[in-house]
Amino acid sequence: IRGFYLINRGILKIFFPNQIVFVYFLKLPTIFFGEIYGLNLALFLMLFLGFVSFYFLVAKKVCKSAAVPAAVSYTTSSFFLWHGMQNPEIILAASFLPLYFWSLLNLEEAIQGSSARRFFAQSSLSAILFALVFLSSFYIGYFLIIFTVGFFVFERFRSWKVEGVPIFERKVILAYLSLSFGVFLLTLPATIALFPTNNQGGDPSQLESLREGLSRNTLLDLVAYSARPWDYLLPSIYHPVFGSLVRNFYGYLRNNFSYQFWSTSLPERANFLTVTSIWLAIYAVFRMAKNRVLPPEKKLILSLAFLTVLMFLISLPAIVTFKGWAIPLPSYFLFKVFPMFR
């Protein structure tokens, strides 16, 4: 029904005109199977794509024995299930994310080699995968920019500290410049609409809509819709076993603490990492601490651990007050630069 409403009311065209990968991914199945069956098929294809891409990442970079449970955990998480009903464009973008991370890891390996053709090809592939994410969901694409910058900074520091590679090595600069240029070109169908906001040309109503979209969010929105640390560890309030406990916990916070401790509405806090994901992460860190992993695996674990901490900090409220002191967190500074995202 929601999909039928999306197509017939034109909401798909109105709210997602430049997220062209998402628009056509949803629209093409409706041409052959009708609106109801077509949009349901599109959702199942998103879940299947997420499963395959995550399986591919784990099988190629970790081991095949962990690939199936990891992929199942990824695509059956509350994040996928809730946003599949509320924000399907986020699910499509998340389905491409594992392939993008795989391509970044391969780009770093290509940089270490001697073939310029290989790292240019790999940077092109990374740019294509980034564009698929960005043109599926601008929201996920924004955070993917932060993720990519974090990955670049960590890899440069690790390569310099562990391998003695200069931070600004020529091959590194060329590889990431080509990646950036490729991303710029491939995302132009969406980003070119922002260019007229800096001059007097263009449709006045479109310019006004863009300006409003760039500044409509407030710092209070950022605090309200950010994640709370426990959101990643608690299942849904509809969980058959723990649902009532989770519901009571959130009720206790709302009744006894300030709004900074309140979690957002249910679809916004669908961040439970699942027991499988948490257990696999702890097991990987434990094996690394005991020196039971190979050097490539250790490199991957360290990279993921750094990026996890970085994105976790960014997901927290912009400001936390402690004994009368207002402490800004990373998202506060990002909001000052990009106020359209919260």
Side-chain angles (χ1 to χ4, degrees):
I1 292 174
R2 176 177 170 81
F4 184 78
Y5 181 82
L6 277 170
I7 291 293
N8 279 284
R9 296 288 182 175
I11 292 178
L12 191 64
K13 292 182 180 179
I14 294 172
F15 286 99
F16 309 102
N18 296 319
Q19 294 178 181
I20 55 177
V21 172
F22 170 67
V23 169
Y24 285 105
F25 194 95
L26 255 66
K27 201 162 187 178
L28 286 177
T30 66
I31 297 174
F32 300 99
F33 302 101
E35 292 167 348
I36 300 299
Y37 289 109
L39 288 165
N40 278 281
L41 175 62
L43 180 58
F44 281 112
L45 287 175
M46 292 179 198
L47 295 174
F48 179 73
L49 175 62
F51 177 89
V52 171
S53 62
F54 204 85
Y55 175 89
F56 183 81
L57 169 66
V58 177
K60 289 293 185 180
K61 297 300 180 182
V62 185
C63 64
K64 289 185 177 180
S65 59
V68 170
V72 169
S73 177
Y74 184 67
T75 50
T76 59
S77 64
S78 57
F79 179 89
F80 263 71
L81 298 180
W82 274 104
H83 285 292
M85 295 185 288
Q86 300 287 332
N87 306 293
E89 75 281 4
I90 289 180
I91 298 305
L92 180 58
S95 297
F96 290 118
L97 284 177
L99 293 178
Y100 177 70
F101 184 55
W102 165 79
S103 73
L104 283 183
L105 294 173
N106 284 350
L107 177 59
E108 285 295 325
E109 294 175 4
I111 290 173
Q112 295 175 7
S114 57
S115 174
R117 179 180 296 180
R118 186 188 170 201
F119 73 69
F120 274 122
Q122 196 60 52
S123 63
S124 300
L125 177 60
S126 297
I128 291 171
L129 291 169
F130 182 98
L132 287 174
V133 175
F134 185 83
L135 296 176
S136 296
S137 169
F138 297 157
Y139 185 76
I140 299 297
Y142 164 71
F143 289 102
L144 190 59
I145 295 173
I146 301 171
F147 179 92
T148 305
V149 172
F151 178 84
F152 173 80
V153 171
F154 175 79
E155 283 298 320
R156 301 288 66 77
F157 179 79
R158 187 201 60 79
S159 299
W160 168 69
K161 194 72 174 177
V162 177
E163 301 168 6
V165 178
I167 293 179
F168 297 107
E169 190 180 27
R170 182 172 177 270
K171 288 191 296 183
V172 172
I173 300 301
L174 288 175
Y176 279 91
L177 277 179
S178 61
L179 169 60
S180 303
F181 183 69
V183 166
F184 172 78
L185 289 179
L186 292 172
T187 57
L188 269 180
T191 58
I192 197 171
L194 294 174
F195 297 159
T197 59
N198 296 320
N199 55 54
Q200 300 301 315
D203 180 17
S205 61
Q206 183 187 25
L207 296 180
E208 183 59 31
S209 176
L210 285 170
R211 291 191 184 99
E212 183 181 349
L214 292 173
S215 59
R216 64 186 175 90
N217 294 324
T218 66
L219 193 60
L220 184 61
D221 290 325
L222 187 61
V223 174
Y225 287 98
S226 55
R228 306 302 187 263
W230 43 84
D231 290 340
Y232 295 102
L233 304 175
L234 298 178
S236 167
I237 60 174
Y238 298 111
H239 191 278
V241 178
F242 302 108
S244 60
L245 293 175
V246 175
R247 193 180 300 112
N248 292 337
F249 174 76
Y250 282 123
Y252 177 80
L253 290 178
R254 187 168 286 273
N255 292 329
N256 295 277
F257 291 88
S258 70
Y259 75 96
Q260 293 182 89
F261 293 86
W262 301 353
S263 294
T264 58
S265 59
L266 187 58
E268 294 284 350
R269 69 166 185 259
N271 297 321
F272 177 50
L273 295 176
T274 75
V275 174
T276 304
S277 300
I278 296 171
W279 183 86
L280 288 173
I282 293 174
Y283 180 68
V285 172
F286 173 79
R287 285 181 59 87
M288 184 188 69
K290 295 292 185 179
N291 291 320
R292 296 178 183 174
V293 295
L294 299 174
E297 295 173 339
K298 183 176 181 179
K299 174 183 172 181
L300 177 61
I301 293 170
L302 288 173
S303 178
L304 282 172
F306 172 82
L307 292 169
T308 298
V309 172
L310 172 67
M311 302 309 290
F312 169 74
L313 291 175
I314 289 172
S315 74
L316 296 179
I319 296 176
V320 174
T321 56
F322 180 74
K323 293 185 177 180
W325 290 85
I327 305 172
L329 294 182
S331 60
Y332 172 83
F333 303 102
L334 289 170
F335 179 77
K336 290 297 183 180
V337 181
F338 304 105
M340 72 290 291
F341 292 101
R342 64 188 183 197

